C-alpha cells in the first residue's frame, strides 16, 4: 500500500534516549501488528536541548512544526496523535460521527481542571482535551492549527491539552469525547482486554501468535 492510500496516519510524539540516542518507540510493534494498513510517522524532539518536561508540555508545538514541514506528504483524512507511551492493543478506534477532534475527557470553562490558569496566555476561548497521548482528528484540523496566524501563540509555554483543542475550536472544529477506558493522564498497567492504553512506560513484548 502506497503512502497516499492509507486512510489513517498515526503520528507518534517521542524523544531520543539520552544515553543511547535512539528514538524511543517501545510500543510501535503492537500498533503495526494490529493495524498493518495504517501509516505511522514518528516525530522526535527537534531541539535536543529541550527538557523532557518542556517537550511534554508543548507536544503540540512539536507536532505543529513537523506538520508544517511534512503535512503535504500525508493524504490520510484521519489522524491519530499518540505519545511514546501509548500502546495500541487492537484495532484503532474511529473518530465518532459528527466530531472533528476527540479525546477521552473534555473540559469546558466552569468545570474544575488543573490547567485553567494558563488560559490567560491565550486570546481564544479555552477548552481542554485529555489526554494528549490519544487524540483523534480529521486532517484539516492540523492544517488549520498550523496556520501562520497562530505562530505567536505557539512561541509561548502553554500545556498542549489546553492550547491545541482551543485553537482547533477557534478554527471551527467540533471538539468532543470518545470511549477510551484505558487512557489516563498517569501511568497505567496493560490489562488482558484489547484497547488503547496510555500511559504504559515499560516495554511489553508482543506474544507470538497474538
Amino acid at each position: 500500500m502506497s503512502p497516499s492510500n492509507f486512510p489513517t496516519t498515526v503520528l507518534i510524539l517521542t524523544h531520543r534516549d539520552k544515553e543511547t540516542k535512539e528514538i524511543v518507540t517501545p510500543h510501535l510493534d503492537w500498533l503495526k501488528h494490529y493495524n498493518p494498513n495504517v501509516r505511522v510517522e514518528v516525530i522526535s524532539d527537534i531541539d535536543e536541548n529541550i527538557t523532557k518536561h518542556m517537550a511534554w508540555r508543548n507536544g503540540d508545538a512539536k507536532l505543529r512544526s513537523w506538520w508544517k514541514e511534512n503535512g503535504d506528504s500525508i493524504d490520510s483524512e484521519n489522524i491519530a496523535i499518540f505519545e511514546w507511551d501509548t500502546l495500541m492493543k487492537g484495532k484503532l478506534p474511529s473518530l465518532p460521527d459528527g466530531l472533528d477532534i476527540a479525546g477521552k475527557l473534555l473540559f469546558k470553562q466552569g468545570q474544575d481542571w488543573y490547567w485553567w490558569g494558563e488560559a490567560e496566555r491565550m486570546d481564544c476561548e479555552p477548552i481542554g482535551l485529555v489526554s494528549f497521548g490519544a487524540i483523534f482528528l480529521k486532517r484539516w484540523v492540523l492544517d488549520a492549527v498550523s496556520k501562520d496566524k497562530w505562530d505567536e501563540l505557539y512561541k509561548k509555554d502553554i500545556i498542549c491539552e489546553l492550547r491545541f483543542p482551543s485553537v482547533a475550536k477557534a478554527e471551527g472544529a467540533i471538539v468532543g469525547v470518545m470511549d477510551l477506558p484505558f487512557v489516563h493522564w498517569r501511568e497505567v498497567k496493560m490489562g488482558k482486554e484489547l484497547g488503547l492504553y496510555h500511559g504504559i512506560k515499560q516495554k511489553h513484548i508482543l506474544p507470538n501468535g497474538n
Side-chain angles (χ1 to χ4, degrees), residues 11-14 27 56 59 81-87 131-134 160-161 198 201:
L11 305 177
I12 301 177
L13 304 178
T14 186
H27 313 312
W56 163 74
I81 302 170
F82 286 2
E83 292 177 328
W84 68 271
D85 55 349
T86 303
L87 192 154
S131 155
F132 207 67
C160 56
E161 292 168 338
H198 178 273
K201 308 297 184 184

Side-chain angles (χ1 to χ4, degrees), residues 127-143:
I127 191 171
L129 193 62
V130 177
S131 155
F132 207 67
I135 299 293
F136 294 80
L137 66 159
K138 295 178 180 177
R139 67 156 295 131
W140 76 260
V141 177
L142 268 175
D143 290 334

Side-chain angles (χ1 to χ4, degrees), residues 10 12-14 23-35 40 42 82-90 92 133 187-190 195-206:
V10 178
I12 301 177
L13 304 178
T14 186
I23 295 177
V24 179
T25 54
H27 313 312
L28 183 58
D29 53 345
W30 289 81
L31 173 62
K32 290 184 174 182
H33 174 77
Y34 284 103
N35 301 273
V40 179
V42 177
F82 286 2
E83 292 177 328
W84 68 271
D85 55 349
T86 303
L87 192 154
M88 186 67 255
K89 184 183 179 184
L92 277 171
E187 186 172 356
V188 300
K189 294 183 178 180
M190 184 173 67
L196 179 57
Y197 290 83
H198 178 273
I200 303 288
K201 308 297 184 184
Q202 301 298 319
K203 182 176 178 61
H204 290 261
I205 303 301
L206 185 67

